[in-house]
């Protein structure tokens, strides 16, 4: 993928890659939302499993899995994110990184087929990388080419009805942001002065895109009570409150999944060939 082929979101994230970990790493709300995702990853992928990560960013989750005996191929559309992740994961057994946009996973699958690579034991995408993709169907097709039958796939995307964000944005006097996740279609976004779009994927749209090749096996809210990062740095100054909100999340994240800042969708690969659903 040449620079001219990079998605607009890749240019935006290139501009913040160097400081990304410094900004988000210390925030307790981010750590609190990572914990249930990582628990789900550890359950889905057994030690020794070979997993592909979509939109892996600076490699925080890949690093965590590698330390626990999984093998991870991290992909991302941002060259700077891939560079930083490569340095972070360098020397770790089973680690690999690749520049690949989520929309271009079929091209990545073609390259692996030519190299005679085995299918992955599973796949995941964390913290809304797929919200930078307008159409999830090419992502699903690529994943279907890349993972074996019965492989688990975990996708964490933005929720579409985040009460926490509504409250935070309302308190901060930004009423236009309170209801931005209600928007349909591509929504303008900006990061470090660079413009791109996001899309707040609905549950039905996600399942529809995945359904030819994947069975939906449930979802859970990530950050139903734990607030979004928009509440930082205030919420990090109240760790006792945050622990209580995290306890509520553990108790109610499944029945209240649709209210999460993020939503974790679980799928499993069926045996339908990719060509059969064209």
């Amino acid at each position: 993928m040449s620079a001219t082929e990079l998605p607009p979101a890749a240019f935006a994230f290139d501009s913040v890659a160097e400081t990304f970990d410094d900004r988000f790493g210390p925030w307790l709300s981010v750590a609190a939302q990572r914990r249930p995702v990582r628990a789900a990853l550890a359950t889905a992928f057994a030690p020794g499993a070979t997993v592909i990560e979509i939109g892996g960013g600076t490699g925080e989750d890949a690093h965590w899995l590698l330390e626990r005996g999984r093998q991870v191929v991290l992909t991302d559309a941002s060259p700077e994110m891939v560079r930083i992740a490569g340095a972070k994961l360098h020397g770790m057994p089973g680690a690999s990184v690749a520049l690949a946009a989520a929309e271009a996973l079929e091209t990545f699958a073609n390259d692996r087929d030519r190299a005679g690579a085995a299918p992955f034991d599973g796949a995941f995408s964390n913290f809304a990388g797929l919200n930078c993709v307008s159409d999830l169907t090419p992502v699903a097709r690529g994943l279907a080419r890349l993972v074996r039958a019965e492989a688990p796939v975990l996708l964490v995307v933005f929720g579409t009805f985040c009460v926490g964000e509504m409250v935070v944005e309302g308190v901060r006097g930004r009423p236009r942001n309170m209801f931005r996740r209600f928007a349909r279609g591509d929504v303008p976004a900006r990061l470090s002065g660079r413009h791109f779009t996001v899309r707040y994927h609905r549950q039905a749209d996600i399942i529809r895109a995945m359904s030819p090749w994947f069975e939906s096996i449930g979802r859970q809210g990530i950050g139903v009570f734990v607030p979004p990062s928009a509440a930082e740095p205030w919420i990090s100054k109240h760790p006792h409150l945050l622990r209580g909100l995290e306890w509520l999340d553990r108790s109610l994240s499944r029945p209240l999944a649709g209210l999460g800042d993020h939503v974790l969708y679980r799928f499993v690969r069926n045996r339908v060939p990719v060509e059969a659903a064209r």
Side-chain angles (χ1 to χ4, degrees):
M1 182 168 52
S2 69
T4 57
E5 296 173 321
L6 289 177
F11 285 107
F13 280 93
D14 261 9
S15 67
V16 298
E18 196 67 47
T19 59
F20 196 83
D21 286 347
D22 290 338
R23 177 181 178 184
F24 291 100
W27 287 353
L28 298 185
S29 65
V30 174
Q33 289 200 24
R34 277 198 191 277
R35 277 189 279 272
V37 175
R38 288 178 171 176
L41 295 177
T43 299
F45 309 129
T50 301
V51 182
I52 181 171
E53 181 178 10
I54 312 304
T58 65
E60 285 292 290
D61 290 315
H63 190 280
W64 187 88
L65 281 172
L66 287 160
E67 284 187 320
R68 287 154 182 81
R70 282 72 171 177
Q71 301 180 61
V72 183
V73 175
L74 178 150
T75 66
D76 199 281
S78 160
E80 279 300 296
M81 289 289 191
V82 169
R83 180 186 66 79
I84 291 168
K88 183 181 295 184
L89 307 180
H90 179 71
M92 299 188 75
S96 178
V97 301
L99 181 64
E103 306 94 314
L105 285 181
E106 280 205 88
T107 301
F108 186 68
N110 290 338
D111 293 341
R112 285 181 59 84
D113 285 347
R114 284 192 289 270
F120 291 102
D121 298 314
F124 75 99
S125 180
N126 195 12
F127 280 162
L130 293 179
N131 287 99
C132 296
V133 178
S134 296
D135 183 5
L136 293 179
T137 301
V139 181
R141 288 180 59 85
L143 283 172
R145 292 271 309 279
L146 287 165
V147 302
R148 61 169 174 77
E150 300 181 2
V153 173
L154 278 60
L155 307 178
V156 181
V157 300
F158 278 131
T160 57
F161 194 94
C162 178
V163 176
E165 182 175 84
M166 294 177 195
V167 171
V168 170
E169 297 295 349
V171 168
R172 292 190 169 177
R174 299 185 294 211
R176 290 183 62 182
N177 287 351
M178 291 174 65
F179 307 106
R180 59 186 169 186
R181 301 195 191 195
F182 292 0
R184 300 272 184 172
D186 290 340
V187 178
R190 187 173 64 180
L191 189 61
S192 191
R194 301 191 181 188
H195 295 268
F196 61 106
T197 62
V198 299
R199 181 168 292 208
Y200 296 105
H201 302 292
R202 270 55 183 175
Q203 178 184 15
D205 296 332
I206 296 170
I207 292 175
R208 186 180 304 113
M210 298 288 286
S211 63
W213 312 286
F214 297 90
E215 304 297 331
S216 173
I217 56 172
R219 63 176 187 161
Q220 73 181 85
I222 305 297
V224 176
F225 292 94
V226 170
S229 59
E232 294 291 357
W234 180 84
I235 191 62
S236 284
K237 299 174 183 178
H238 299 82
H240 295 295
L241 171 61
L242 189 56
R243 279 196 291 272
L245 296 174
E246 197 172 355
W247 180 86
L248 288 172
D249 267 11
R250 287 194 296 271
S251 304
L252 298 169
S253 63
R254 293 180 189 274
L256 299 181
L259 302 182
D261 176 30
H262 296 84
V263 181
L264 187 159
Y265 289 88
R266 291 179 172 85
F267 295 92
V268 64
R269 177 70 166 99
N270 60 30
R271 295 184 178 275
V272 175
V274 174
E275 294 75 15
R278 287 185 176 178

